[in-house]
Every structure is written in structure tokens, then in C-alpha cells.
Amino acid sequence: MKITVLPGDGIGPEVTAEAVRVLRVVGAIHGHNFEFEERPIGGVAIKQTGSPLPSTTLDTCLAGDAVLLGAVGAPEFDSMPPNLRPEAGLLLLRRALGGFANLRPAISYDAIAATSPLRSEIARGADILIVRELLGGLYFGEPRGFFGSNGDSVARNTMIYSVAEIERVARVAFETARKRRRKVTSVDKANVLETSQLWRQTVSRVARDYPDVTLDHLYVDACAMHLITTPLRFDVILTENLFGDILSDEAAVITGSLGMLPSASIGGSVGLYEPVHGSAPDIAGRGVANPFGAIASAAMMLRYTGSLEQEADEIEEAIRVVLKAGYRTPDIASGETRLLAKTSEIGQLVCDAVDELADMRHSYHAV
Ligand code: NAD
């Protein structure tokens, strides 16, 4: 597997280094040949080349199998026009790779359930995967813009979906549900919006190809409520771009810290895997960033681009092991935390746990 690593800015390089370290260990254990090519993106690329997404970076990404990204953005660029800022590089990259399905898990890890603002009896055990349509809907629909005699007296955006756009992301959700608890909740606003009525009809039709997966439908307002009152009712949530943007951030509170959250954008020519957080300039360079989100993104890469289900499971289990042993970065620490760990220590602990899990698996098979 050829993996393009784009560390980016701020804490991006710190957390991606740990994800790569874990991937190297997994590769060595299972005999996989992971090749890593590192390229600049974001602020660091602007400084080196003048562009937030240099053509050599994009070409390398398109020639590889998967992209592992850290984060982009730095305060020194905040006053620049949007198209010259580091974030523009990431938007261009996402469009070029063409991933139309954005996957964001929201998991309540037992060991850190207390860091969630939700009461632990509500959040504990929650394990949700949000599948959000990423390239259509209100964010891309035409016509859009400001209209009217003053040039800005009216503004318009267009929510538009075709059957083909809905069907392809629905299939991702159903296929993914088959590897989980076989339940898809499709979220729309079909009582008000025609796009949602088409969404609901199309998803219901696609569901007939997956008789082993249960489908239910929820309006987006009801879903927003259920996410924080009964999160355990969900397995896979399938929804369009705008609703998914909002619901996935809401679901993030289940986990407790931004640093824990991974993501994948798949369905295009090359999969893009990145933690949800930004470059966190306030803590960059101090070695205290939480790398679990980046490491879990690497696990998603193995699962969705590499079809390496067992290897992905092992990384995710290793994360649980390290948390259960009590190790914490400051963002997930509480008054009771005794094992405060640096970014690199967490990376090493996950590697050790992956190693131990592999040993246990070997001895189990030997028996
Ligand atoms: P942020 O996610 O960088 O940080 C928000 C808060 O969460 C900060 O207090 C930060 O210290 C903390 N945090 C984030 N990730 C953490 C981690 N892994 N471990 C511990 N703490 C963590 O969001 P922001 O402050 O709004 O944005 C900072 C910069 O990042 C901006 O330039 C923004 O445009 C950019 N950004 C980039 C991405 C991306 O690359 N995908 C996403 C969001 C923001």
C-alpha cells in the first residue's frame, strides 16, 4: 500500500508521526509492505512553494493508494484571503480525491466516558458511525450567491440531489453496516424538503438489496435529540451533507475530546484519512497533542482502503487497551489521572499494545 503522508501544520506532524509509527509496527507484524511518501500541505507548503497544495503533493496523492493527513492552518495566515490560506489546500485536495462519503465514528470509550459532557449512563457503550454525503447538497448546489439590486440584498443557496448521488453514498452506508451491527438510520427532513423525499425513496429502494440490514428513517431534528438522549439506539447514521456536518459535530460530544476523533473520506480515486481536529496552534510543539484521532484514522485507512479488517481491529483494540491502562494526554485527563503521557509515549504504548495483541493471537492459534 502506497501511503502519502501530509503532516501539515501545528500538531499535524506530531500526531501523524505516531500514526505512521503504529502502521509500521502493524505492517511488520502482518508482513505488509506499507510505503510512505511525505509531502507538504497547508501553511508549511505555502512557505516552501507559495501554494497550499503544491502540484507535486497532489500528484503524489493521486499516484498512491491512500492519504494520511494531519491538520492545516496557522495564525500567521489568518489575515490572508481564503484562497491563499492553508485551509484552501485541504479543500482542493478533498475535491481532487473525490471522496463522496465521509465516515466519522463517535465512540464512547469506557475508560474515558467521564470526559464526555453526557452523563456516562447515557453515553457508555455508544458506538456510532456517521456516513455523510460530502460532495453534493446545499454546499455545492447551483445557483448560489448574492442577488438583488444592491448586489447583496438577497442570498440564495440550492439544496439539490440526484438519485445517483444518493444511491452511491447509501450503498457505502449499507456495506459498512454489514461489517458492524447491521442497522442503518437514514436522516432527512422529508416532511418539508423534496430533496429529502427523494433521499428517503432512494435509500428505501437501495435497502432492498441489503435484506440483512435493518433500515429506519428519522427526521434530522429528532435525530439531533436522540443522539444526546439515546445514542445507543444508533449503529450507522446515513445523511446528506449539511445535516451530516452538524450531526457529526454533535455526535463528537459522545467521545469527549476532539483529539479522539478520526475520519475517512472514501468513494473517490484515493481515500483520505484525517483526524477531525485542526492544527491546534495553542499546544503545537509541546508534545502534548492527543494522537488517538490520527492513529484511529490510520486504522480506518487499513479497513476501507486496504480491506485489512483484522489489522484495523487490532489498532482500535490497542487504543482501548492503552486508555484502559490509564494513560492520558492532558485533553482527556481528569483529576484522577496519574499516567499523564506525551504524544510520542501514547504512540509507543499503542505500538506495544498492538504487539501484545499479536502475541496473544499467535499463542491462541498455537493452542
Ligand atoms: P482545533 O481543532 O485546532 O483546536 C480546538 C481546541 O481543541 C484547541 O484548544 C486545541 O488545543 C484542542 N485540540 C485540538 N486537537 C487536539 C488534540 N489532538 N489534542 C489535544 N487538544 C486538541 O481548532 P481551531 O483552534 O478552531 O483551529 C486552529 C487552526 O486549525 C485554524 O487555522 C483552523 O482553520 C485549522 N483547522 C484545520 C482543520 C483541518 O486541518 N482538518 C480542522 C479544523 C480547524
Side-chain angles (χ1 to χ4, degrees):
M1 207 165 147
K2 279 191 184 171
I3 301 161
T4 310
V5 182
L6 308 179
D9 305 316
I11 63 169
E14 300 170 43
V15 297
T16 42
E18 301 316 315
V20 168
R21 192 205 297 230
V22 172
L23 284 171
R24 286 191 196 282
V25 169
V26 171
I29 291 172
H30 290 272
H32 300 306
N33 183 18
F34 298 143
E35 286 174 29
F36 299 95
E37 291 258 22
E38 196 173 304
R39 293 285 182 272
I41 190 171
V44 73
I46 295 174
K47 282 189 197 152
Q48 283 176 21
T49 70
S51 161
L53 182 66
S55 54
T56 48
T57 296
L58 181 57
D59 291 347
T60 310
C61 291
L62 290 170
D65 298 306
V67 176
L68 181 66
L69 180 118
V72 296
E76 63 191 280
F77 298 102
D78 279 355
S79 56
M80 304 281 278
N83 61 329
L84 297 178
R85 289 174 56 161
E87 292 82 346
L90 181 51
L91 296 180
L92 285 170
L93 178 70
R94 286 181 181 152
R95 203 169 308 151
L97 299 183
F100 58 80
N102 181 235
L103 275 51
R104 271 184 53 175
I107 298 172
S108 168
Y109 292 97
D110 242 14
I112 55 163
T115 61
S116 168
L118 296 185
R119 287 206 308 276
S120 48
E121 67 264 29
I122 290 176
R124 201 178 288 274
D127 180 354
I128 304 171
L129 181 73
I130 297 191
V131 178
R132 164 190 170 195
E133 201 290 325
L134 201 58
L135 295 183
L138 200 61
Y139 291 1
F140 293 94
E142 297 282 350
R144 64 181 297 160
F146 294 97
F147 302 89
S149 52
N150 302 331
D152 65 355
S153 54
V154 177
R156 180 185 345 177
N157 292 95
T158 303
M159 184 182 266
I160 180 164
Y161 270 108
S162 68
V163 167
E165 283 174 309
I166 301 167
E167 184 165 338
R168 65 182 184 175
V169 72
R171 291 199 182 279
V172 170
F174 283 104
E175 295 288 343
T176 312
R178 275 190 165 159
K179 296 180 186 158
R180 297 170 48 97
R181 302 190 304 283
R182 295 173 185 264
K183 181 175 176 193
V184 171
T185 301
S186 176
V187 174
D188 59 43
K189 191 71 182 166
N191 49 343
V192 179
L193 300 174
E194 284 79 2
T195 43
S196 280
Q197 288 159 15
L198 186 69
W199 182 277
R200 194 173 276 223
Q201 283 165 20
T202 308
V203 172
S204 300
R205 183 174 49 73
V206 171
R208 289 188 215 126
D209 294 341
Y210 301 87
D212 52 326
V213 178
T214 309
L215 170 68
D216 68 347
H217 301 274
L218 267 186
Y219 296 136
V220 61
D221 38 354
C223 180
M225 192 186 66
H226 284 297
L227 265 178
I228 50 165
T229 53
T230 49
L232 269 71
R233 85 179 285 295
F234 296 108
D235 177 16
V236 174
I237 292 177
L238 163 66
T239 192
E240 61 90 51
N241 203 346
L242 168 70
F243 300 159
D245 190 3
I246 299 167
L247 293 176
S248 57
D249 267 25
E250 188 195 1
V253 304
I254 292 169
T255 307
S257 167
L258 212 48
M260 296 297 300
L261 302 169
S263 80
S265 299
I266 61 172
S269 53
V270 179
L272 173 63
Y273 300 88
E274 51 181 324
V276 167
H277 62 76
S279 57
D282 52 334
I283 57 165
R286 291 176 24 211
V288 296
N290 180 339
F292 283 121
I295 294 170
S297 301
M300 293 185 87
M301 185 174 79
L302 297 187
R303 174 172 295 120
Y304 294 110
T305 291
S307 298
L308 299 172
E309 196 69 34
Q310 184 184 335
E311 290 81 341
D313 284 349
E314 280 174 11
I315 295 177
E316 287 164 357
E317 183 55 25
I319 291 173
R320 286 179 198 277
V321 167
V322 173
L323 289 172
K324 199 166 173 213
Y327 294 98
R328 305 280 186 269
T329 43
D331 57 306
I332 50 171
S334 66
E336 290 145 32
T337 300
R338 279 186 300 275
L339 299 170
L340 209 55
K342 292 268 192 186
T343 312
S344 56
E345 287 168 328
I346 294 285
Q348 187 56 51
L349 286 160
V350 174
C351 291
D352 295 345
V354 165
D355 247 340
E356 275 165 35
L357 288 166
D359 281 350
M360 277 161 58
R361 193 166 32 81
H362 279 134
S363 26
Y364 175 78
H365 285 304
V367 170

